[in-house]
Amino acid sequence: MSAQTNSRVILNKYIPDNDFSTSYYSVDSSQPVPTAESLAPGQVLIKVDSLSIDPHLRFFAAESNPSIYRYELGEAVYSIGVGVVTASKSDRFQPGDIVRSDQFRWADYTVVDEKALDKMPSNDVPPSTYLAYIGVAHFGKTKQGETLLVSAASGAVGQIVVQLAKARGARVVGYVKSLGADAVINYKTCGDFDKAIKEAAPEGVDVYFDNVGGEFLDAVLLNLNFGARVVLCGTMSTNGLDRSKVYGVKNLDLLVTKNITINTLFYALLSGSQVETDFIAEVSELAEQGKIQLKMDVRNGLESAAPALMDQFQGKNFGKVIVKL
């Protein structure tokens, strides 16, 4: 009997700037599923259940990416995933364990080292929820009666930002009212950014959670109140563009004259901290009360993974994008 094949999504060529085609990826079924005997000490074989598809993954495949976080050509790409252990050479994990890691290959089966693997906790919440909490509560210090503006509010992080800010009594300007926003701005269609922000937030903005960067960020700086907080999470408007054509922010002097605080989100630095403890307590309670709900955009099959990634740069998703296998 022939060995079961292990379908994988591989990257054949690095993606040029300004290109959001899926043609650089392909599904390969030439390799067999790894066996328990092939595992090295500490390795775990996992049947993949679902994969998290997030915008930053395109950067890992970019031709212009200078960092060490770059996919290898001809190899299966990877992201956060969840699956079930089928074989293990680790004392920490046994067949049947439900596990997660940020090293899941886009494949039917993936081999992950025990050091990069965690069992799924009973009160599990997606990493995007933790990012939103850090931005709204820790860096944003959002208070009742303040105005919070979040760009790309229908995405994995933005939708939680809206709900967390509303739970804290803030007035929220986002992308869609169905998520609870008090006013809406679609940065892709609103035209004059400065005018749109002034109309949606006539009393100014106290907290800005930025997922798009570029010219919209520049316009927000004009509308921030004294002592405002800015949280930088993503750069959707410039991701994949030729660096020479990326919009240069011009209003940075306002950070000084308006006493604005600006922080970037790198949640790994706060792992295991009091912030994480507070997050679990607050978000678990809000989830039980039905005040936090994560809308999912679920795609099916490995062949949908690359399109699911590129769709996010064209506004074709609503909610957290995952691929179910």
Side-chain angles (χ1 to χ4, degrees), residues 272-305:
S273 68
Q274 184 61 44
V275 175
E276 186 172 43
T277 301
D278 294 342
F279 154 72
I280 293 172
E282 181 173 334
V283 173
S284 296
E285 181 179 350
L286 290 173
E288 289 178 3
Q289 295 172 353
K291 295 181 179 180
I292 295 289
Q293 298 178 346
L294 183 63
K295 296 182 182 295
M296 309 294 285
D297 185 336
V298 180
R299 315 293 177 93
N300 294 299
L302 283 173
E303 67 280 357
S304 70

Side-chain angles (χ1 to χ4, degrees), residues 82-259:
V82 174
V84 180
V85 175
T86 60
S88 174
K89 286 192 176 179
S90 164
D91 293 335
R92 294 175 52 211
F93 301 98
Q94 303 300 321
D97 286 345
I98 301 175
V99 294
R100 67 178 178 186
S101 172
D102 61 0
Q103 297 295 311
F104 266 46
R105 298 288 174 173
W106 290 9
D108 293 328
Y109 290 82
T110 186
V111 175
V112 180
D113 188 272
E114 62 179 352
K115 295 178 182 177
L117 205 58
D118 292 301
K119 291 183 180 179
M120 288 286 286
S122 58
N123 61 346
D124 179 64
V125 290
S128 57
T129 307
Y130 188 28
L131 282 174
Y133 178 85
I134 295 171
V136 172
H138 181 61
F139 290 137
K141 297 178 173 59
T142 308
K143 298 184 287 292
Q144 184 171 353
E146 291 190 319
T147 295
L148 179 145
L149 168 61
V150 53
S151 52
S154 63
V157 179
Q159 61 172 302
I160 301 298
V161 169
V162 172
Q163 296 173 76
L164 284 175
K166 288 296 294 180
R168 286 174 166 257
R171 181 177 184 274
V172 179
V173 179
Y175 179 65
V176 284
K177 282 198 172 183
S178 63
L179 293 172
D182 299 286
V184 298
I185 296 177
N186 184 339
Y187 79 94
K188 293 183 178 180
T189 62
C190 69
D192 187 326
F193 294 152
D194 182 37
K195 180 181 178 182
I197 295 167
K198 282 182 168 58
E199 290 177 351
E203 296 184 3
V205 175
D206 301 295
V207 182
Y208 175 48
F209 194 107
D210 184 29
N211 288 304
V212 301
E215 191 174 356
F216 191 78
L217 169 60
D218 218 13
V220 173
L221 292 176
L222 294 172
N223 291 276
L224 291 176
N225 291 327
F226 187 86
R229 289 81 69 197
V230 175
V231 181
L232 302 181
C233 181
T235 56
M236 286 286 291
S237 69
T238 59
N239 199 328
L241 297 180
D242 185 317
R243 299 303 301 173
S244 66
K245 298 178 181 177
V246 171
Y247 180 89
V249 177
K250 302 178 176 64
N251 295 316
L252 293 177
D253 60 302
L254 297 177
L255 298 178
V256 177
T257 59
K258 291 187 175 184
N259 190 35

Side-chain angles (χ1 to χ4, degrees), residues 59-60 62 64-71:
F59 179 67
F60 293 173
S64 59
N65 178 4
S67 77
I68 60 173
Y69 300 104
R70 195 183 197 193
Y71 293 140

